[in-house]
Amino acid sequence: MNRLWLYLSSTTTKTSLSLTYLLMILLIAGCSSTAQPTTTPPNSSTSNAQHEEHSMSMDHIGTTASAPEGSTTERPAKITTLPSIIQNNQINLVAQTSYLEIEKGKYLPVWTFNNSVPGPQLEVTEGDTVTIHLKNQLKVPIALHVHGVVLPNEMDGVPGMTQDAIQPGASFTYTFKANQAGTYWYHSHQDSLNQIGKGLYGSFIVKKKQDTVSSDHTLVIDEWSDPHTTVPESESNTLAINSNMGAYNLYTVNGRSGDLIEPIVVHQGDRVRLRLVHAGNMTQTLYIHSDAYRVTATDGHDINRPQTLSNGLLVIAPGERYDIEFTADTTGIQWIGMVGDSSFAQSVRIPIVIEPKGSKRTLTEITKKITSYQAQMTSIPSDHQQPLDLTTYGQPTTSEFGLKSVFDREYTLDLDMGVIDGKMSYTINQEAYPQVSQLKVQTGDAVKITLINESKNEDHPMHLHGHSFEVLSKNGQALSGSPIWKDTINVRPGDTYVIAFRADNPGMWMVHCHELHHASMGMMTDVIYEDYQTKYHPDPEAGNISE
């Protein structure tokens, strides 16, 4: 919870926050660390010991926030390297400390995989069996979750639920098959609000066996808190930000901000794919400055016959991924910019330089060209255009589910906030984890879930582990475009989504908000297969913190 500290130390708060929201922050800061009561006895598929350990893993909810470590302008002895690309299905990762030059001359203490933030990009081919050997050289326990990839339950990386957290000096090996090509990411799932916040994440790309794209680039966006940086400014553009619970004041792309953001350089005639990954906690809107592009995939699933777009807006929420494709027809500079009135949002401008075919200009020459174009990248057209609505995008085709399908299990999850056991919490059906009722299924069930956001000014990007789900409707309207399959869906204030999935991956799986402040304060539950018996028994001394 250390990212809340800036709220308590700063005299400046966002004008868009409601009074209720501010009172919630103050209540959280004053809460004691008293454990929440455990739930009623679990069903027969889960041992009492495991259930109690998983419940105990949430006892940190509502504890007093500590101050985040600040940046320094003195060059440290150890600095992160640029993220590497590992094109191998046998992967070695080491979690270790370092310093990230997040802005020119400003070094932030971070936790890394292989001394980079993001960690190395892991690239495999669909159908590969992947083995990840993770060694922990930090002083705290960690775990690894490959977000969006359908994994065996024992490889899901949730401490207290599928494994014990990896202790300092220890190692753990994850093995799974990557069946679905697409854009994914990996991150720690032990105390994830803090550990992802310190840099423990990276991209995970499953490539198609045959691909027509000739230039492929990944862009991981994130937000950071630094008490040595100016406090957050007000954002009047509500498309960009609807809350700033972490008081973030540094926005990055691939671990860099401002002039340090590395440009994307392609050549005329290239077919280009940009993979967007959101590793932060704030819903962001991106302006895509391109005359002709298509959003071709979301969360690792292709969109059927997507229409060509021009100079549009794309909302991306925590945990989501989008693939954008275009053909580099004409030379010049295109760009992607974060929408928002603050200097933090305006510091995120990603130049896309289209060079003549065969050009061999140096990076210095390319940088000079970008500098001359910089003024044109500072503003975003204010014609009140609406961001892309996936529920109307692409073309219809056959799909597994529909609103008239017969479902074996149906659940409704009301997402809100309230006081639970004397603590301000984010709730599901007026309950906070671990008191939230579990979603019980049997193998083979067709499951429908209705997600309703009752919050006044906060998004809830809900993530389902172990499965992909189909989006059936938004606010009562069935999809009119392509079928949409996702693992993370952003439910904005007042919105209602109906989603469905096939219970075809037995185990015990989390469902939680990927605005990780919300999850760590109670907005999560479990999907439990009644016909699954786990072999895992948590160690009560492991210090498991599952969220």
Side-chain angles (χ1 to χ4, degrees), residues 29-40:
C31 284
S32 69
S33 58
T34 305
Q36 296 187 29
T38 56
T39 59
T40 54

Side-chain angles (χ1 to χ4, degrees), residues 285-289 313 335-340 345 348-350 377 380:
T285 298
L286 302 177
Y287 173 64
I288 315 299
H289 178 263
L313 300 177
W335 52 281
I336 297 176
M338 193 174 285
V339 177
V348 177
R349 296 293 182 266
I350 309 162
M377 293 193 289
I380 291 174

Side-chain angles (χ1 to χ4, degrees), residues 147-148 183-185 276-277 297-300 319-323 487-488:
H147 181 120
T183 303
Y184 306 95
W185 64 303
L276 303 173
V277 179
T298 179
D299 291 0
E320 285 190 309
R321 291 91 59 212
Y322 287 96
D323 292 2
D487 55 71
T488 307

Side-chain angles (χ1 to χ4, degrees), residues 42-68:
N43 62 67
S44 59
S45 66
T46 309
S47 70
N48 286 329
Q50 179 169 8
H51 181 81
E52 290 169 2
E53 169 65 14
H54 195 202
S55 298
M56 286 165 55
S57 73
M58 299 306 295
D59 289 351
H60 67 297
I61 292 176
T63 56
T64 302
S66 59

Side-chain angles (χ1 to χ4, degrees), residues 96-144:
Q96 56 192 288
T97 61
S98 192
Y99 278 82
L100 171 67
E101 188 175 17
I102 201 165
E103 291 181 345
K104 192 172 181 62
K106 178 178 288 188
Y107 304 92
L108 197 67
V110 291
W111 293 354
T112 75
F113 290 117
N114 293 13
N115 196 41
S116 70
V117 176
Q121 176 160 298
L122 310 181
E123 292 187 2
V124 300
T125 302
E126 58 182 337
D128 280 356
T129 297
V130 182
T131 301
I132 301 176
H133 304 283
L134 174 58
K135 182 172 180 59
N136 183 13
Q137 291 185 350
L138 297 171
K139 294 180 180 179
V140 298
I142 63 171
L144 190 75

